[in-house]
Amino acid sequence: MAEVIVVGSRKAAGALVAEAIERLVGTRPDAVLGLATGDTPLPVYRALAERVRAGLDLSAVRGFALDEYVGIPVTHPESYHSVIARDVVGPLKLNPAAVHVPDGRTLGIETAGERYEVAITSSGGIDLQILGIGTDGHIGFNEPGSSFASLTRVKTLTRQTREDNARFFASIDDVPVHSITQGLGTILRAKRLVLLAFGAAKAHAVAAAVEGPLSASVPASAIQLHPRATVVVDEEAASMLTELEYYRDAFAQKPIWDPVIL
Ligand code: F6R
């Protein structure tokens, strides 16, 4: 099962994951990161940016975004090309040529998933995949019903996801209907998974992902199949976990030889 770490704040979560990434890059300067967008990973990117300002060199790090909207121009401020450039590549001083985002242009979309899979495989694979979780249990844009074996492909967004993401657009009608997303099978190939979740709105999805039965209806439950998955949550997002005391205890008793987010 996933290791669950309950933190006091988003900032603490960011620091914890940034620390693990710094450790990874220390042993592998050209590590490959899987990059989520949305609000959730921002504390991680902010904590890393702080470390970069203090001298951490991430210039050889490579990256693959989880997903992209289909059919909005890459120059749109809410395209994930723009978001990754603004929130990740710039502040972390990554090499823009080494950071990839799925190609959501409609021209050539039939081959975009396969091209992305080839790019990930050719890089040697993702070392650490950062994940958020949707209120409907999605990871990436793998909406409920997604196959655990799925690879990068086009998915239709649920009404719930479009409502959740309407805050980034003028109205829900402007939220694209389709996305191109790493599949659950793609995500499971990453060497480590770190899923973050904050706030009460995520509590149900977190509990279903971590403790519920494996089910395509809760795509995030696929993380139970991964041998090195860590879930970093605040108190609110953790509030519906049945085994909360056990997770707290396991973390408090964590052996010294077992670093956080191995
Ligand atoms: C974004 C992504 C999504 C988000 C999820 C949560 O790249 O893959 O799965 O992680 O929709 O979004 P936020 O973090 O905005 O609550």
Side-chain angles (χ1 to χ4, degrees):
M1 67 177 256
E3 174 177 35
V4 178
I5 303 176
V6 185
V7 291
S9 66
R10 293 172 194 230
K11 197 166 179 200
L16 196 78
V17 179
E19 172 72 32
I21 292 174
E22 179 162 358
R23 217 176 331 107
L24 169 67
V25 173
T27 57
R28 187 164 157 66
D30 64 345
V32 181
L33 299 180
L35 302 164
T37 47
D39 283 332
T40 307
L42 291 177
V44 176
Y45 301 144
R46 287 195 189 115
L48 278 173
E50 237 168 71
R51 285 163 190 253
V52 167
R53 283 194 294 276
L56 173 65
D57 180 8
L58 299 178
S59 60
V61 164
R62 295 166 293 159
F64 286 91
L66 263 176
D67 40 22
E68 174 58 293
Y69 292 113
V70 169
I72 59 172
V74 286
T75 51
H76 188 292
E78 295 306 330
S79 79
Y80 287 170
H81 276 80
S82 297
V83 172
I84 289 283
R86 189 169 64 229
D87 293 343
V88 185
V89 175
L92 274 54
K93 297 193 170 44
L94 303 186
N95 171 8
V99 179
H100 309 269
V101 180
D103 184 354
R105 290 172 299 181
T106 42
L107 188 68
I109 194 72
E110 340 54 79
T111 60
E114 202 180 324
R115 282 186 272 127
Y116 206 60
E117 288 294 326
V118 170
I120 294 175
T121 309
S122 311
S123 76
I126 291 170
D127 292 302
L128 187 150
Q129 174 67 60
I130 300 167
L131 296 166
I133 183 169
T135 56
D136 66 357
H138 71 227
I139 48 175
F141 276 137
N142 293 284
E143 298 288 28
S146 294
S147 161
F148 282 8
S150 53
L151 301 179
T152 306
R153 72 222 182 285
V154 172
K155 282 297 288 183
T156 306
L157 299 178
T158 60
R159 176 84 193 171
Q160 176 71 57
T161 297
R162 293 182 65 238
E163 277 169 12
D164 289 347
N165 287 9
R167 68 191 190 281
F168 297 114
F169 293 85
S171 79
I172 186 167
D173 298 329
D174 294 331
V175 182
V177 173
H178 295 108
S179 66
I180 175 163
T181 179
Q182 287 187 32
L184 296 174
T186 319
I187 292 168
L188 288 175
R189 285 180 190 162
K191 296 178 189 87
R192 303 167 185 74
L193 303 181
V194 182
L195 186 149
L196 299 112
F198 309 120
K202 301 288 176 76
H204 181 72
V206 166
V210 174
E211 296 177 339
L214 277 178
S215 166
S217 301
V218 182
S221 66
I223 67 167
Q224 295 178 38
L225 294 170
H226 198 287
R228 293 163 97 187
T230 304
V231 174
V232 182
V233 278
D234 65 5
E235 294 285 349
E236 289 176 316
S239 61
M240 291 176 77
L241 288 164
T242 309
E243 301 299 332
L244 193 49
E245 287 320 308
Y246 174 70
Y247 308 135
R248 288 192 208 281
D249 198 37
F251 189 61
Q253 312 290 342
K254 201 168 172 57
I256 197 152
W257 66 82
D258 183 16
V260 175
I261 309 172
L262 183 61

